[in-house]
Amino acid sequence: MDEVQNRATEALTAVSRTMTAIVARTLSEVAQDISVPQLRVLVVLGAHGPMNLSTLAQHLCLNASNASRTCDQLVADGRISRQGDDTDRRTVVLRLTDDGTRFVAGLMAARRRLIGDVVARMATDDQRMLAQGLEAFSSALGAAPPEQTVGPPDGRILPWLL
């Protein structure tokens, strides 16, 4: 690894620790009564919209029974609902309730606020360079062949986040 690549890798490693801290802090502020598996369900439904249990389980890289147990508590808490599919009566669709939507929005707003506070302390030119660098990093990640990723074979590192 050359010096520039090493510097970039170390910088991203430091940022990943900070991002982990931001995630932990926002969870402690907003999500004191929620488990990580439940959070994963809410994030997937918030990002991808209503879906059946089988599709949700695929996104979470879980078997359907584990996904179903996780959803049971979220239904009991009023954060997601189970409803029959209008086009296929055998299918049950999971979707965020208004409470679930508010929860996900609040969590993401808290994260954006913490990250935005840090970015605001940077000079405008540094903000532009940061955006350009992170966009390039995301493009490189998306272009990686599936066999070179650390997640499922379709190339997603954390499919429930993307």
Side-chain angles (χ1 to χ4, degrees):
M1 189 179 306
D2 70 17
E3 183 180 336
V4 173
Q5 184 180 359
N6 187 52
R7 185 174 167 208
T9 300
E10 290 302 315
L12 275 171
T13 300
V15 167
S16 75
R17 286 190 302 269
T18 302
M19 296 305 294
T20 300
I22 287 171
V23 168
R25 181 172 170 186
T26 56
L27 280 175
S28 70
E29 289 175 3
V30 181
Q32 296 170 354
D33 62 339
I34 193 163
S35 69
V36 171
Q38 291 170 348
L39 174 65
R40 293 174 63 197
V41 167
L42 294 173
V43 169
V44 167
L45 292 175
H48 300 285
M51 62 183 66
N52 64 36
L53 183 65
S54 173
T55 302
L56 177 66
Q58 287 175 342
H59 277 281
L60 299 173
C61 297
L62 293 175
N63 63 47
S65 70
N66 285 341
S68 182
R69 279 192 298 277
T70 301
C71 290
D72 289 344
Q73 186 61 49
L74 290 168
V75 169
D77 292 343
R79 291 197 168 121
I80 67 171
S81 67
R82 288 186 173 112
Q83 298 172 340
D85 186 348
D86 294 336
T87 60
D88 182 355
R89 295 171 66 134
R90 296 169 296 166
T91 301
V92 173
V93 176
L94 302 164
R95 62 176 33 95
L96 292 177
T97 62
D98 290 345
D99 186 49
T101 299
R102 279 189 299 276
F103 174 84
V104 172
L107 182 68
M108 296 308 168
R111 287 183 187 173
R112 279 190 295 278
R113 187 175 53 255
L114 287 172
I115 294 167
D117 289 348
V118 174
V119 172
R121 291 192 293 269
M122 297 171 63
T124 303
D125 286 344
D126 290 340
Q127 291 176 13
R128 281 191 195 98
M129 287 190 299
L130 175 65
Q132 182 180 2
L134 292 174
E135 288 163 356
F137 180 81
S138 294
S139 292
L141 180 64
E147 66 275 6
Q148 292 180 8
T149 65
V150 295
D154 65 4
R156 298 173 295 161
I157 289 180
L158 293 174
W160 61 277
L161 286 176
L162 305 174

